[in-house]
Amino acid sequence: MAATAREDGASGQERGQRGCEHYDRGCLLKAPCCDKLYTCRLCHDNNEDHQLDRFKVKEVQCINCEKIQHTCEECSTLFGEYYCDICHLFDKDKKQYHCENCGICRIGPKEDFFHCLKCNLCLAMNLQGRHKCIENVSRQNCPICLEDIHTSRVVAHVLPCGHLLHRTCYEEMLKEGYRCPLCMHSALDMTRYWRQLDDEVAQTPMPSEYQNMTVDILCNDCNGRSTVQFHILGMKCKICESYNTAQAGGRRISLDQQ
C-alpha cells in the first residue's frame, strides 16, 4: 500500500534523513496506537501522552520512497543492518541479539553475556557466579533517576550489594558519595580509603573529655553491630574494618576507663 498524506510524528526528521539520536535506520515506524510515523519508540514516547508498544508494530515506512510496508519493495533502501521480527527493531549492526528471557534485544556480542534467571537480566560473563542475586532486580527503576532499567538503552551497573543503577547515574553518584542509595552498602572497594582513614584517626587524637567515650555502631557493609571508641572522623567496624557505619546508640563513658 503506497503511503498517502497523513500526520507524521513530531520527530523532527526530514525525508531522507537516516535515523534519529537513538537509532540508525532507514525507515519510520507506524505506531498502531495513533497511526503516526516515528523513527523509534523513544521518539514517539517523548512526544506523545502514551507509550508505543514495540511488539504491536506491523508496518514501517521507507524514508526514501515513503511506501508503508514490512520490507521495502520499491527501492533498495536498507532499513537496518540488524532486524528483530519480535521487537521490530531496525538498527545498524551492534552485534545485537534477542534474549527470550529478557523479552527484548540486547547489544552484544551474545557470547559476552549470560542471562541470570534470578536477577532476570543479561549480565557480562565476568559476573557469572561473582555477583549478588536479587530477584527481578532489573524490573525496578534506577534509584537515582527513577527511570526504567530493564528496557533502557543505558548500560546497567551492578553494585556489590546486587542493586542496579544506570552506568551514567553510577558515575554521577560517585562524584557525591560512595554508598548504594537503597541499602547504603559501599558501591565500590573502599579498602584503600579505609586504611588512609586509619592513619588520619591515629594522627588526630580526641580531646580528653572524649577519649573514654564509646558508641554502638551498625555497619552498612557487613550489617554487624559493635561498640567502638567515638571519633569525629569515623567509627570503624570491628568485624569487617569498614568505616561505612552509623551510630546505633547514644554515646557513653566507658566505666573501666574512668
Side-chain angles (χ1 to χ4, degrees):
M1 179 180 70
T4 58
R6 66 181 65 238
E7 181 183 8
D8 288 349
S11 62
Q13 177 174 23
E14 299 291 338
R15 292 297 180 215
Q17 177 183 330
R18 186 178 181 89
C20 62
E21 62 177 311
H22 307 111
Y23 295 102
D24 181 352
R25 56 178 52 151
C27 61
L28 302 175
L29 306 182
K30 182 180 179 182
C33 47
C34 57
D35 284 336
K36 293 181 181 180
L37 297 169
Y38 278 96
T39 310
C40 73
R41 64 180 179 88
L42 299 173
C43 290
H44 172 280
D45 295 351
N46 288 340
N47 288 279
E48 302 293 342
D49 60 0
H50 58 279
Q51 293 187 331
L52 171 63
D53 186 343
R54 74 182 79 181
F55 303 107
K56 292 184 179 180
V57 173
K58 299 299 182 183
E59 295 178 304
V60 297
Q61 183 186 70
C62 176
I63 62 172
N64 290 321
C65 69
E66 299 185 11
K67 180 177 180 180
I68 292 181
Q69 58 213 294
H70 178 65
T71 56
C72 191
E73 301 170 353
E74 295 294 318
C75 66
S76 59
T77 298
L78 179 67
F79 290 168
E81 297 170 329
Y82 172 83
Y83 172 65
C84 173
D85 60 2
I86 298 175
C87 297
H88 305 296
L89 172 65
F90 297 86
D91 198 8
K92 65 180 180 181
D93 184 12
K94 301 173 183 173
K95 307 300 181 183
Q96 298 96 323
Y97 66 97
H98 181 86
C99 175
E100 293 185 3
N101 290 311
C102 284
I104 58 176
C105 292
R106 299 290 190 191
I107 294 178
K110 184 177 181 178
E111 56 269 21
D112 290 348
F113 296 87
F114 74 100
H115 185 89
C116 176
L117 293 176
K118 185 172 182 178
C119 293
N120 205 2
L121 179 69
C122 285
L123 298 172
M125 289 298 295
N126 60 8
L127 291 175
Q128 192 165 22
R130 300 178 55 197
H131 72 285
K132 181 178 180 180
C133 289
I134 298 179
E135 190 168 359
N136 286 325
V137 67
S138 72
R139 299 311 196 269
Q140 303 170 7
N141 289 341
C142 172
I144 300 292
C145 67
L146 303 181
E147 294 184 0
D148 177 62
I149 289 181
H150 184 70
T151 62
S152 175
R153 297 179 70 250
V154 179
V155 176
H157 182 83
V158 185
L159 300 180
C161 57
H163 291 122
L164 297 182
L165 304 177
H166 290 122
R167 174 64 60 82
T168 51
C169 293
Y170 170 74
E171 292 171 352
E172 287 298 315
M173 182 196 74
L174 292 182
K175 296 177 182 179
E176 304 293 335
Y178 64 91
R179 297 185 292 192
C180 170
L182 292 177
C183 66
M184 305 302 286
H185 192 285
S186 294
L188 67 167
D189 185 359
M190 298 292 290
T191 303
R192 182 177 179 181
Y193 179 72
W194 297 154
R195 301 296 75 83
Q196 292 176 350
L197 199 50
D198 279 342
D199 294 337
E200 292 181 25
V201 169
Q203 296 171 20
T204 312
M206 294 293 290
S208 57
E209 60 267 29
Y210 290 98
Q211 289 182 358
N212 294 334
M213 184 171 290
T214 60
V215 64
D216 296 329
I217 60 171
L218 171 65
C219 180
N220 291 316
D221 285 340
C222 72
N223 295 322
R225 292 177 177 269
S226 52
T227 301
V228 300
Q229 184 175 358
F230 173 77
H231 199 285
I232 193 65
L233 294 181
M235 276 78 74
K236 180 178 178 178
C237 175
K238 288 184 176 180
I239 301 172
C240 70
E241 299 188 335
S242 167
Y243 279 92
N244 182 12
T245 61
Q247 187 169 320
R251 304 169 192 169
R252 57 181 178 271
I253 301 297
S254 178
L255 295 178
D256 60 354
Q257 296 183 28
Q258 285 184 329

